[in-house]
């Protein structure tokens, strides 16, 4: 075997194959981390623990170091890669390696045992044998193109991907106002009862003294969920040469939401506009404060899923693909902590998991609508495990 380094396109194909494998496909954090490592590798950047903590996990560059999340997640990724290479039936020609204690990836040619044991032979080279390497190269390039090029638009996403209509991605952010804080200083205040300018002016009417102490601001707050979700969705749409118009939920208007295909990622607590749209479109699910209520289904019993705000390692997540009265498609990813949105967005932007999900729950191109409840668990909001709790399909009216 030739031990030359694979090309950039071959490296990308190797990573795509790993991402779609059983070992990684339900591990969105490991998938995102592997993509990040590949990009750094292709750009020729040498990674260190501190760089990964800031660039990938969103750590404050000036904060005191001490978190183990980089090492923990790199360890988990190595274990998943080891599992893949131990269980794959057809050995790959190249192996992606992350050496222990290192953060850069490398590609190593894998020599099959029968190749190592084969004795050298002398023979006369024919014209066909001289052309064989070029034939194999052409087949390999076609194979790489086949791996990278999407075959069929997933049924769940077809309305978004096949339409000329623009898709708007709304990131759930938090409204706040500027002025005197509760500690007496000056800064940005987040009040969970104040989620829009209308709420803010209503607060001033009830507390006139705040008129001289505070003022509205254009500065809003979003968590690291935003960058992870935007990255996964942007990459997914780019596969079909489609773009996303990214906005914050605090700037949303009902006229925009009705006129365009919409994706929402973020909290459902204190996101009244998007919760209203979800509740209007759903025949069986309703979101009320910190409860996900399921009722009136002909087969399933009524159930209430209670979201515990104080539990950071477990997150109930609602994913819903619906259609509004104007015929525009809407995709909601709701959870009150980062881990739920990050896990489900990663799951629903992987072709293999999408196909398996659609087949398992009977979703088709003519009937792609559903609502699902997932439970995401993790440590320090990473190393996620995603569990399907309930999935209900519902037809277009």
């Amino acid at each position: 075997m030739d031990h030359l380094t694979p090309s950039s396109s071959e490296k990308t194909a190797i990573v795509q194959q790993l991402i779609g494998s059983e070992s990684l496909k339900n591990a969105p954090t490991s998938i995102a981390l592997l993509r990040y490592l590949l990009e750094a590798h292709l750009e020729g950047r040498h990674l260190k623990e501190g760089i990964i903590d800031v660039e990938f996990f969103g750590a404050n560059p000036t904060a005191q170091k001490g978190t183990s999340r980089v090492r923990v997640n790199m360890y988990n990724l190595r274990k998943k890669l080891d599992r893949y290479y131990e269980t794959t039936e057809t050995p790959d020609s190249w192996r992606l390696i992350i050496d222990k204690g290192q953060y850069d990836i490398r590609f190593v040619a894998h020599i099959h045992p029968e190749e190592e044991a084969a004795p050298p032979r002398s023979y006369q080279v024919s014209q066909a044998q001289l052309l064989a390497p070029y034939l194999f190269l052409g087949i390999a390039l076609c194979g790489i193109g086949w791996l990278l090029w999407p075959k069929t638009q997933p049924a769940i996403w077809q309305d978004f991907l096949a339409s000329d209509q623009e898709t708007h991605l709304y990131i759930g952010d938090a409204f706040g106002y500027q002025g005197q804080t509760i500690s007496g200083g000056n800064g940005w205040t987040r009040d969970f009862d104040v989620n829009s300018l209308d709420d803010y002016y209503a607060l001033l009417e009830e507390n006139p003294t705040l008129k001289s102490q505070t003022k509205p601001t254009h500065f809003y707050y979003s968590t690291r969920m935003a960058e992870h979700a935007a990255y996964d969705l942007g990459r997914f749409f780019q596969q079909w040469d489609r773009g996303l118009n990214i906005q914050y939920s605090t700037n949303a208007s009902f006229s925009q939401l009705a006129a365009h295909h919409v994706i929402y990622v973020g909290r459902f607590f204190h996101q009244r506009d998007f919760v209203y749209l979800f509740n209007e479109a759903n025949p069986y699910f309703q979101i009320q404060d910190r409860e996900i209520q399921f009722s009136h289904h002909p087969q399933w019993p009524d159930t209430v899923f209670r979201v515990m705000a104080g539990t950071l390692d477990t997150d109930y997540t609602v994913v819903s693909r619906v259609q509004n009265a104007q015929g525009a498609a809407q995709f909601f990813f709701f959870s009150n902590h980062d881990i739920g949105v990050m896990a489900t967005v990663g799951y629903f932007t992987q072709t293999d998991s999408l196909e398996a999900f659609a087949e398992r729950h009977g979703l088709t191109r003519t009937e792609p609508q559903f609502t699902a409840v997932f439970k995401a668990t993790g440590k320090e909001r990473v190393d996620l495990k995603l569990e399907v709790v309930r999935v209900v399909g519902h037809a277009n009216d």
Side-chain angles (χ1 to χ4, degrees):
M1 174 183 293
D2 191 352
H3 288 258
L4 293 175
T5 302
S7 66
S8 296
S9 60
E10 289 175 314
K11 292 175 181 178
T12 302
I14 292 167
V15 170
Q16 285 296 111
Q17 184 167 331
L18 288 168
I19 287 172
S21 69
E22 289 292 330
S23 300
L24 275 87
K25 72 178 185 181
N26 291 326
T29 297
S30 292
I31 288 173
L33 181 56
L34 183 56
R35 286 172 170 165
Y36 167 80
L37 297 177
L38 174 65
E39 284 194 356
H41 173 81
L42 295 178
E43 293 170 1
R45 296 196 294 125
H46 176 64
L47 294 175
K48 296 183 179 180
E49 181 179 332
I51 295 174
I52 298 174
D53 200 27
V54 171
E55 291 187 351
F56 183 79
F57 290 102
N60 185 344
T62 62
Q64 183 178 359
K65 304 297 186 291
T67 178
S68 62
R69 59 186 170 188
V70 175
R71 295 188 296 276
V72 169
N73 280 276
M74 291 295 292
Y75 171 81
N76 290 335
L77 177 56
R78 288 191 192 95
K79 295 293 288 185
K80 291 178 174 64
L81 293 174
D82 291 342
R83 189 183 310 126
Y84 169 79
Y85 290 119
E86 289 170 0
T87 58
T88 184
E89 295 182 359
T90 305
D92 298 334
S93 298
W94 297 94
R95 289 194 173 187
L96 187 151
I97 304 296
I98 307 174
D99 295 314
K100 187 176 180 180
Q102 301 296 316
Y103 301 103
D104 297 316
I105 64 175
R106 61 190 182 94
F107 295 85
V108 177
H110 176 60
I111 301 176
H112 306 316
E114 59 270 21
E115 294 179 10
E116 294 178 331
R121 295 179 298 171
S122 60
Y123 52 88
Q124 189 173 4
V125 179
S126 66
Q127 184 176 5
Q129 289 171 320
L130 287 172
L131 294 175
Y134 299 98
L135 176 61
F136 290 140
L137 177 60
I139 294 172
L141 291 174
C142 290
I144 292 168
W146 184 85
L147 284 171
L148 294 177
W149 188 261
K151 313 304 177 300
T152 306
Q153 292 173 347
I156 294 173
W157 287 102
Q158 189 182 33
D159 286 350
F160 296 86
L161 301 174
S163 173
D164 292 332
Q165 185 182 144
E166 189 175 44
T167 296
H168 287 213
L169 170 60
Y170 286 94
I171 305 294
D173 60 337
F175 181 89
Y177 52 88
Q178 189 75 25
Q180 184 174 325
T181 64
I182 192 171
S183 62
N186 185 67
W188 187 81
T189 296
R190 168 61 173 149
D191 184 334
F192 284 104
D193 291 325
V194 180
N195 297 288
S196 66
L197 280 173
D198 291 340
D199 291 344
Y200 171 71
Y201 289 123
L203 176 69
L204 297 185
E205 292 300 318
E206 297 176 3
N207 301 273
T209 56
L210 292 178
K211 293 182 179 180
S212 60
Q213 299 173 352
T214 65
K215 62 181 179 180
T217 177
H218 295 295
F219 173 72
Y220 304 117
Y221 172 77
S222 64
T223 65
R224 65 188 178 90
M225 170 278 303
E227 62 189 72
H228 281 265
Y231 177 87
D232 284 340
L233 287 164
R235 280 297 186 87
F236 179 72
F237 270 63
Q238 197 173 41
Q239 293 179 63
W240 282 272
D241 196 28
R242 304 294 296 166
L244 289 171
N245 185 328
I246 302 177
Q247 303 184 49
Y248 286 101
S249 62
T250 46
N251 296 325
S253 67
F254 273 107
S255 60
Q256 290 177 318
L257 299 178
H260 299 282
H261 295 319
V262 167
I263 304 170
Y264 170 80
V265 295
R267 296 164 53 91
F268 54 78
F269 191 52
H270 291 301
Q271 287 288 346
R272 288 177 295 192
D273 290 350
F274 292 94
V275 168
Y276 172 83
L277 293 173
F278 170 88
N279 287 344
E280 284 293 301
N282 262 273
Y284 307 117
F285 286 92
Q286 295 285 289
I287 293 175
Q288 301 292 338
D289 292 328
R290 290 184 172 88
E291 291 185 349
I292 306 165
Q293 301 172 359
F294 176 78
S295 61
H296 303 104
H297 193 271
Q299 296 178 342
W300 293 85
D302 293 359
T303 310
V304 175
F305 303 94
R306 291 185 174 86
V307 180
M308 302 301 293
T311 304
L312 298 180
D313 293 340
T314 302
D315 195 7
Y316 275 114
T317 306
V318 179
V319 179
S320 186
R321 162 71 169 84
V322 297
Q323 185 170 308
N324 67 13
Q326 288 74 28
Q330 298 178 329
F331 219 138
F332 300 106
F333 295 86
F334 287 110
S335 71
N336 271 350
H337 302 308
D338 289 351
I339 60 175
V341 167
M342 291 162 58
T344 51
V345 168
Y347 181 85
F348 281 95
T349 52
Q350 294 301 316
T351 303
D352 289 345
S353 56
L354 274 172
E355 292 175 352
F357 181 85
E359 182 177 355
R360 187 179 305 121
H361 301 289
L363 304 175
T364 66
R365 299 186 188 286
T366 55
E367 298 292 352
Q369 299 195 84
F370 73 94
T371 297
V373 177
F374 293 84
K375 184 165 71 171
T377 56
K379 185 177 181 181
E380 295 181 357
R381 302 189 181 188
V382 294
D383 190 25
L384 310 178
K385 177 182 177 182
L386 194 61
E387 175 187 349
V388 179
V389 178
R390 181 163 300 175
V391 180
V392 178
H394 40 91
N396 292 320
D397 294 332

